[in-house]
Amino acid sequence: MNREETLEQLKEIIKPYTNNELAFDNFTADTDFIADLNINSANLVDIILDVEDAFKIHIDNESMEKMLDVKSTLEIIETKLSEK
Amino acid sequence: MIGNDIVDLALAKKESNWKRTGFLEKIFTSKEQVLISNSENPEIMVWNLWSRKEAAYKIYNRQTGIRGYIPIQLECNYENADSGSVHCNGNIYYTKTEITKEKISTIAVSQKSDLKEIKELKSTVEIHKKNGIPYINDINNASKPVSISHHGRFISRVSIID
Ligand SMILES: CC(C)(COP(=O)(O)OP(=O)(O)OC[C@H]1O[C@@H](n2cnc3c(N)ncnc32)[C@H](O)[C@@H]1OP(=O)(O)O)[C@@H](O)C(=O)NCCC(=O)NCCS
């Protein structure tokens, strides 16, 4: 899977939790889940669980710490996929 | 310093399925999970502990400048339904929680005596932000920490009385 495909898949995962349509339309690696997409912090857990299911990876607490924006989330997904 | 958090229980029910596999394990320590499963009303316990963690995180974030998703590092020491403390990497924050049918709200402070000195800000008070963290300018033009939380039907803006 290349970065574009991972990004697309992540975007699909995040869509239902977004509270800011306009920012979602401009989704990039720099998008922040809370500051830009206005995602409720309880739904961050859902995103993490959805990412685990979709990519069949396990996200440990240390990785979870950084999952507040698209860029860090992509990096974590890629690292975990490469370790498989 | 101060932090607060509000959970609109009706909206939480709509937005979150806390019974989802893996959900509780990602947010709560094993000690907290025991509190939840032994509780008469697990759902209320979930949001009670959650609001404590979020309120405490707001102080931790202001104190350290660290931003992170760290629910497990924010450990609740639950005394009873409305009081306790949250420990995070060597820091202690004291909490006061209010539960009604509609909402759960928690206020956290770094100095325990401040729990008796909380005021809700009037809607006319102007709040400024620095790196996303809110404060007001007091009469001497010194900046003073305030905390804001909104969820669903509710909003609360609080500070410590001078
Ligand atoms: C910052 C955070 C706590 C906000 O929580 P939220 O439930 O999404 O939203 P709330 O309405 O309660 O809080 C948003 C308000 O907090 C204010 N705020 C942000 N940082 C703050 C801080 N350090 N201190 C006080 N208030 C703060 C903001 O001004 C914002 O208000 P505004 O939108 O009117 O400007 C949350 O988004 C976050 O980053 N959580 C991750 C921390 C964590 O690990 N939590 C796990 C707990 S289980």
Side-chain angles (χ1 to χ4, degrees):
Chain A
M1 211 183 306
N2 63 36
R3 184 160 262 221
E4 281 304 302
E5 288 165 349
T6 313
L7 185 73
E8 269 315 301
Q9 204 171 343
L10 182 61
K11 196 174 166 186
E12 280 307 306
I13 289 173
I14 287 162
K15 197 175 179 178
Y17 305 111
T18 316
N19 289 311
N20 184 341
E21 296 299 328
L22 207 67
F24 185 76
D25 291 340
N26 298 317
F27 193 92
T28 68
D30 292 322
T31 302
D32 187 284
F33 294 152
I34 292 169
D36 298 322
L37 300 180
N38 217 342
I39 292 173
N40 165 321
S41 53
N43 283 143
L44 287 182
V45 188
D46 292 297
I47 292 176
I48 291 161
L49 293 170
D50 289 350
V51 164
E52 289 190 330
D53 291 346
F55 296 95
K56 308 219 164 15
I57 52 178
H58 172 73
I59 292 166
D60 51 279
N61 293 335
E62 203 180 313
S63 306
M64 185 165 111
E65 258 179 70
K66 306 182 205 91
M67 290 180 64
L68 291 172
D69 57 64
V70 174
K71 190 161 170 267
S72 330
T73 306
L74 277 178
E75 281 166 9
I76 287 157
I77 294 171
E78 283 169 350
T79 310
K80 297 287 171 191
L81 283 176
S82 72
E83 285 167 1
K84 276 221 287 202
Chain B
M1 277 195 232
I2 186 161
N4 76 329
D5 191 61
I6 290 199
V7 177
D8 179 331
L9 291 168
L11 186 60
K13 214 186 248 312
K14 216 174 99 195
E15 284 178 338
S16 300
N17 172 16
W18 60 271
K19 291 185 180 159
R20 176 178 183 183
T21 306
F23 189 94
L24 296 178
E25 288 82 353
K26 289 268 186 246
I27 306 177
F28 298 107
T29 64
S30 38
K31 215 174 110 193
E32 291 161 356
Q33 289 175 48
V34 170
L35 276 172
I36 293 165
S37 58
N38 287 345
S39 166
E40 253 173 59
N41 190 337
E43 184 161 320
I44 295 295
M45 185 60 93
V46 165
W47 300 120
N48 185 336
L49 297 174
W50 170 267
S51 73
R52 293 176 192 216
K53 286 175 188 248
E54 290 271 278
Y57 170 79
K58 285 181 181 167
I59 305 182
Y60 179 75
N61 171 240
R62 188 189 300 266
Q63 265 179 346
T64 62
I66 297 171
R67 229 191 129 217
Y69 196 50
I70 50 165
I72 299 280
Q73 289 175 39
L74 295 151
E75 292 180 65
C76 291
N77 172 26
Y78 182 90
E79 285 167 17
N80 56 49
D82 44 50
S83 67
S85 55
V86 177
H87 300 234
C88 185
N89 300 321
N91 303 290
I92 302 186
Y93 309 111
Y94 301 91
T95 60
K96 191 169 90 181
T97 303
E98 212 178 273
I99 308 173
T100 69
K101 262 206 167 79
E102 312 290 330
K103 65 174 198 285
I104 296 185
S105 50
T106 294
I107 288 174
V109 293
S110 43
Q111 212 175 314
K112 197 171 186 179
S113 55
D114 286 340
L115 278 181
K116 295 194 212 80
E117 311 280 330
I118 308 296
K119 70 169 177 207
E120 186 75 39
L121 298 176
K122 291 202 189 80
S123 59
T124 49
V125 174
E126 198 187 346
I127 293 181
H128 308 277
K129 277 179 216 149
K130 203 170 167 186
N131 302 321
I133 302 177
Y135 67 93
I136 48 176
N137 291 321
D138 69 8
I139 14 179
N140 306 318
N141 227 16
S143 71
K144 183 174 167 176
V146 297
S147 186
I148 309 173
S149 183
H150 26 75
H151 191 225
R153 298 162 287 169
F154 307 106
I155 177 162
S156 173
R157 312 190 311 161
V158 289
S159 75
I160 296 166
I161 297 166
D162 302 292

